[in-house]
């Protein structure tokens, strides 16, 4: 990878597939197993292959719609219960799956005084422990609540695609950062707007569309495992 300039101000990281071998469905499985009766969970999980196929098709059409469909599964779960389960869920589905190379890069950036910002479509409730552990700021999807329960709706919009780039721009403006002096890391074609928003984009474990785009634009590309 090409050396970064010494004047970097911030590094923006996608999480799933970039910092960790994680995805947004596994935490849902964990939570459902904890809050449902065994019989109910058995039938819910039995239907999961069909749901997963549906979500995969939706994802090829519009990731924001796919994400919203997955998060509707949290409807009716109490905020109190999620707060109890959040740390264990984080440890099982994020902390244990972090790429060592990613942690080394973040450690190096922090030593240089570079701001670390996580930008993810995953839920903030699960990623807040990661942000705290890494000394990072967090921009993530958030579930709507009403009367202490999750409604299954996303507050605002999911942090995907162009929305990531918009939120990075807002964050940079708010914190007086110059995106010409920033880098970002992402793993999928959905991250292209986010990667294009900064001067120094890096494709990590890129999917086919992203690797083609990265090669065409002479972006850095890394493999973390």
């Amino acid at each position: 990878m090409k050396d970064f300039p010494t004047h970097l101000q911030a590094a923006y990281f996608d999480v799933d597939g970039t910092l960790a071998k994680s995805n947004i469905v596994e935490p849902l499985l964990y939570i459902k197993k904890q809050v449902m009766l065994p019989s109910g969970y058995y039938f819910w999980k039995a239907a999961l292959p069909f749901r997963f196929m549906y979500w995969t098709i939706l994802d090829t059409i519009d990731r924001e719609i796919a994400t919203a469909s997955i998060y509707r599964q949290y409807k009716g779960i109490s905020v109190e219960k999620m707060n109890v389960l959040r740390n264990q869920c984080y440890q099982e589905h994020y902390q244990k799956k972090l790429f060592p190379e990613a942690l080394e890069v973040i450690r190096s950036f922090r030593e240089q005084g570079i701001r670390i910002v996580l930008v993810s479509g995953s839920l903030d409730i699960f990623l807040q422990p990661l942000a705290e552990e890494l000394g990072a700021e967090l921009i993530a999807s958030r579930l709507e609540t009403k009367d202490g329960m999750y409604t299954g709706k996303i507050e605002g919009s999911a942090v995907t695609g162009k929305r990531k780039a918009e939120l990075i721009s807002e964050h940079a403006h708010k914190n007086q950062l110059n995106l010409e002096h920033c880098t970002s890391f992402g793993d999928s074609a959905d991250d292209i707007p986010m990667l294009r928003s900064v001067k120094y984009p890096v494709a990590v474990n890129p999917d086919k569309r992203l690797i083609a785009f990265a090669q065409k634009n002479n972006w850095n590309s890394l493999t973390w495992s």
Side-chain angles (χ1 to χ4, degrees):
M1 184 177 72
K2 299 174 185 176
D3 292 333
F4 287 104
T6 57
H7 59 264
L8 275 183
Q9 297 177 347
Y12 296 91
F13 290 87
D14 170 59
V15 176
D16 296 313
T18 301
L19 290 186
K21 192 175 182 180
S22 56
N23 60 64
I24 67 173
V25 176
E26 289 179 348
L28 173 63
L29 281 168
Y30 173 81
I31 295 298
K32 282 289 193 179
K33 187 173 183 179
Q34 303 305 313
V35 302
M36 297 180 76
L37 294 173
S39 57
Y41 178 73
Y42 172 84
F43 288 108
W44 181 85
K45 190 175 181 181
L48 191 61
F50 301 100
R51 290 193 179 95
F52 191 79
M53 186 182 303
Y54 173 65
W55 291 333
T56 301
I57 294 170
L58 277 183
D59 189 63
T60 63
I61 300 169
D62 188 313
R63 177 158 294 187
E64 183 174 357
I65 294 174
T67 300
S69 178
I70 293 168
Y71 288 164
R72 277 197 289 274
Q73 295 292 315
Y74 287 96
K75 182 178 180 180
I77 299 174
S78 75
V79 173
E80 182 180 7
K81 185 66 174 178
M82 284 275 276
N83 285 334
V84 169
L85 297 172
R86 60 182 292 184
N87 287 332
Q88 185 63 34
C89 184
Y90 161 68
Q91 292 167 12
E92 293 294 328
H93 298 288
Y94 291 100
Q95 188 179 52
K96 291 181 179 180
K97 298 184 177 184
L98 291 167
F99 297 127
E101 301 95 330
L103 296 176
E104 179 60 27
V105 168
I106 289 175
R107 182 195 63 77
S108 177
F109 281 165
R110 288 185 60 196
E111 288 178 352
Q112 298 173 59
I114 298 167
R115 296 176 79 144
I116 307 298
V117 187
L118 309 184
V119 186
S120 177
S122 287
L123 294 175
D124 63 335
I125 190 171
F126 300 134
L127 292 187
Q128 190 58 49
L130 174 61
E132 293 170 2
E133 189 173 304
L134 298 180
E137 298 166 68
L138 178 62
I139 300 171
S141 299
R142 180 189 296 267
L143 289 177
E144 177 187 86
T145 63
K146 184 176 181 180
D147 300 326
M149 307 292 285
Y150 286 104
T151 67
K153 298 179 182 179
I154 298 172
E155 244 184 42
S157 58
V159 182
T160 61
K162 293 181 180 179
R163 185 59 181 151
K164 284 188 175 183
E166 293 169 355
L167 291 169
I168 286 174
S169 179
E170 291 174 12
H171 177 272
H173 178 74
K174 179 180 179 181
N175 293 281
Q176 299 182 322
L177 302 172
N178 186 343
L179 291 177
E180 289 291 306
H181 298 160
C182 295
T183 182
S184 64
F185 294 71
D187 73 298
S188 74
D190 185 72
D191 293 322
I192 289 175
M194 165 184 172
L195 294 168
R196 292 181 67 182
S197 70
V198 300
K199 179 69 172 179
Y200 304 101
V202 182
V204 178
N205 300 335
D207 61 20
K208 291 181 179 179
R209 287 178 57 200
L210 178 54
I211 191 60
F213 196 92
Q215 290 173 345
K216 181 179 179 181
N217 290 275
N218 197 31
W219 289 355
N220 282 325
S221 182
L222 298 173
T223 300
W224 288 344
S225 59

